[in-house]
Amino acid sequence: MRVHRFVTRLALMLAVSLPAMPSMGADDAFKSFKQLDSTTKMPKLKAFSPDFGETLKPPVAKNIVFEAKLTGNGDPVQQGLSWRVFSPIPADDGKLPLVASSEGGSADFQLSPGDYFVNVSFGRAGATKKLTVPESGDVEKQVLVLDAGGMLLNAVSGDDTRIPTTDLKFSVYSSETQEDGERGLVMANVKPNTIVRLNAGTYHVVSEYGSVNAVVRADLKVEAGKLTEATIQHRASQISFKLVSEAGGEAIADTAWSILTGSGDVVAESVSAFPVMVLAEGGYTAIARNKDKIYQKDFTVEAGHNIDVELILN
């Protein structure tokens, strides 16, 4: 039939027009497809991420000014301040992370929106405030009131005998006693004529003249914005000791000393040829030991009268 001839002729034409294909195995067949044997990297996933619009911007930090006053109606403190800004979220060690700090007078910090604790200290006085920085709008100047004053300490022996500053020191304690009956130490080893900055309130002051038994205690009040000056009166004197072969002679070396109160209690000991001690007013006995021999003498201490006590060999 005519249709059959046409099909046969078409098949022959296709056979003639197609080039002969060499035989190949299964692996060769797969290699012929370049996309399966290519080392070209595919685009990263983010290249196909849709565009969600403008990227979110981080919050803008705000400039905040801080100042501190001793009293609510006083002038800002211009120097001696220590500022600390903390995050309210504790770190792994349980402490609040320090965000910013400054020394001097007023301060300004760049703080991002969020919550903070702001602390300012002025010597031993201090104040803390919680601050919330909003995401929008400005933050007004922050004023912290310290409610603080100062204390300046000194002391004399007797009525007005000046005490060398090297022999005098003060310790400041809280006026309230703790559960164990002790007072909380606020500041130790305060030197004379040194201004101690403290929060307003009453404090227990201990004055030590020398290192034996000349100790005086007093309660002092500190008022906000004011300097409290106090001179403490010691009933004590400086006493020097020496063992001599004759009156006014040279002190004998290698002498051991014990100083006893009138009741027989030992208040001080020393191994020296010429010891010097500060003793509170009262009666005492000096005992000197040298080469297995013992010498002793009674003496009296009067406030503000420094004396030499001589023990003579006999």
Side-chain angles (χ1 to χ4, degrees):
M1 295 179 63
R2 182 177 300 176
V3 175
H4 177 73
R5 289 179 182 176
F6 176 76
V7 173
T8 302
R9 185 180 301 172
L10 181 59
L12 291 173
M13 292 176 62
L14 290 172
V16 172
S17 60
L18 290 175
M21 298 290 293
S23 62
M24 62 179 68
D27 292 340
D28 294 335
F30 278 107
K31 289 182 180 180
S32 64
F33 292 91
K34 292 182 178 181
Q35 62 269 35
L36 295 180
D37 189 39
S38 173
T39 58
T40 303
K41 294 183 179 179
M42 297 294 287
K44 293 182 180 179
L45 182 61
K46 69 177 184 179
F48 298 94
S49 300
D51 184 9
F52 290 106
E54 186 178 357
T55 304
L56 294 177
K57 295 181 180 179
V60 178
K62 300 179 183 296
N63 185 71
I64 306 173
V65 178
F66 297 86
E67 67 180 26
K69 299 180 179 180
L70 296 179
T71 61
N73 57 358
D75 296 327
V77 179
Q78 299 298 326
Q79 60 183 0
L81 297 175
S82 295
W83 294 92
R84 301 289 185 271
V85 182
F86 299 91
S87 167
I89 302 174
D92 294 338
D93 58 1
K95 298 180 181 180
L96 299 181
L98 179 65
V99 176
S101 63
S102 178
E103 304 287 339
S106 300
D108 59 274
F109 298 111
Q110 297 285 331
L111 299 177
S112 299
D115 294 328
Y116 302 91
F117 285 118
V118 181
N119 173 267
V120 59
S121 60
F122 185 55
R124 296 291 172 168
T128 301
K129 178 180 182 179
K130 183 178 181 181
L131 173 66
T132 298
V133 180
E135 294 187 1
S136 60
D138 296 329
V139 180
E140 63 182 8
K141 179 171 60 178
Q142 302 295 303
V143 179
L144 279 73
V145 179
L146 291 162
D147 188 29
M151 180 187 294
L152 189 147
L153 302 171
N154 213 326
V156 295
S157 177
D159 294 332
D160 57 0
T161 302
R162 179 179 175 274
I163 297 176
T165 57
T166 54
D167 296 330
L168 188 62
K169 65 179 179 181
F170 302 91
S171 297
V172 181
Y173 296 84
S174 62
S175 59
E176 300 83 11
T177 55
Q178 302 173 343
E179 294 181 357
D180 58 1
E182 299 293 330
R183 300 177 187 270
L185 178 63
V186 177
M187 193 171 183
N189 298 322
V190 179
K191 294 299 182 182
N193 300 313
T194 301
I195 295 177
V196 182
R197 297 156 179 163
L198 300 165
N199 285 108
T202 301
Y203 295 88
H204 186 75
V205 176
V206 177
S207 176
E208 297 178 72
Y209 176 23
S211 58
V212 182
N213 63 350
V215 179
V216 176
R217 300 173 180 270
D219 290 330
L220 300 176
K221 185 177 181 180
V222 174
E223 297 183 45
K226 297 181 179 180
L227 177 64
T228 300
E229 298 186 53
T231 299
I232 294 176
Q233 186 180 51
H234 277 272
R235 305 300 299 177
S237 294
Q238 184 173 280
I239 312 299
S240 58
F241 302 89
K242 62 180 179 177
L243 178 64
V244 296
S245 58
E246 59 182 5
E250 293 293 328
I252 298 174
D254 301 324
T255 301
W257 293 89
S258 295
I259 310 301
L260 284 64
T261 64
S263 59
D265 297 325
V266 177
V267 293
E269 293 182 313
S270 174
V271 179
S272 173
F274 193 65
V276 178
M277 305 177 188
V278 175
L279 298 175
E281 197 173 49
Y284 297 87
T285 299
I287 298 177
R289 298 177 180 86
N290 184 270
K291 295 181 179 179
D292 298 326
K293 292 185 178 181
I294 297 178
Y295 309 88
Q296 71 178 53
K297 181 178 182 180
D298 295 333
F299 64 98
T300 301
V301 175
E302 296 180 5
H305 296 280
N306 300 335
I307 61 173
D308 295 334
V309 175
E310 286 187 345
L311 279 70
I312 301 176
L313 296 176
N314 51 39

